[in-house]
């Protein structure tokens, strides 16, 4: 299962060997179940650097895939079973490569 990193105001599910091992659907299920969680899939020979809990930068030769569930408008998460795959509409996906930055959304910004 993915590891979880919990920052000041954001939970992130992080999984490695993401593309090679076909883990996109597994991470999408985590995000659909926890729509304020950001799913981060990291490919081989790749890393992310997180600065101040607000910005993530990709380093390496592979991709980082970020899955957001903030705008999910429908899913079958409540009917999910081993016999029926999960469905979801309006997941947002980012494909990031070396040097790309991602601003981590603040779900609960400081007051």
């Amino acid at each position: 299962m993915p590891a979880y990193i919990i920052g000041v105001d954001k939970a992130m599910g992080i999984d490695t060997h993401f593309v090679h091992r076909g883990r996109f659907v597994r991470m999408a299920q985590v995000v659909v179940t926890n729509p304020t969680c950001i799913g981060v899939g990291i490919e081989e020979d790749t890393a992310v650097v997180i600065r101040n809990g607000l910005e993530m930068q990709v380093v390496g030769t592979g991709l980082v895939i970020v899955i957001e569930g903030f705008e999910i408008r429908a899913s079958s998460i409540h009917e999910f079973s081993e016999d029926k795959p999960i469905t979801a509409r309006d997941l947002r996906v980012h494909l990031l490569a070396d040097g790309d930055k991602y601003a981590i959304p603040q779900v609960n910004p400081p007051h």
Side-chain angles (χ1 to χ4, degrees):
M1 287 304 288
Y4 293 94
I5 295 179
I6 300 174
V8 174
D9 59 6
K10 170 57 56 208
M12 297 172 65
I14 298 185
D15 204 344
T16 59
H17 306 285
F18 193 72
V19 175
H20 178 72
R21 294 187 182 165
R23 294 180 171 167
F24 184 91
V25 172
R26 181 169 81 169
M27 183 63 77
Q29 289 173 340
V30 169
V31 173
V32 171
T33 304
N34 305 285
T36 60
C37 174
I38 296 170
V40 180
I42 303 173
E43 200 171 23
E44 293 80 5
D45 299 320
T46 310
V48 295
V49 176
I50 299 176
R51 293 183 179 90
N52 300 319
L54 300 173
E55 182 179 80
M56 181 171 67
Q57 183 171 0
V58 177
V59 178
T61 60
L63 285 176
V64 169
I65 299 174
V66 177
I67 305 172
E68 298 175 356
F70 305 120
E71 298 178 21
I72 293 173
R73 67 178 168 93
S75 78
S76 66
I77 194 66
H78 299 293
E79 297 90 35
F80 174 66
S81 70
E82 291 184 22
D83 300 334
K84 187 175 179 185
I86 191 171
T87 62
R89 296 185 187 268
D90 295 326
L91 278 175
R92 189 169 185 191
V93 176
H94 305 275
L95 303 177
L96 308 173
D98 187 50
D100 286 343
K101 294 179 180 178
Y102 172 79
I104 299 171
Q106 292 188 5
V107 175
N108 298 313
H111 306 319

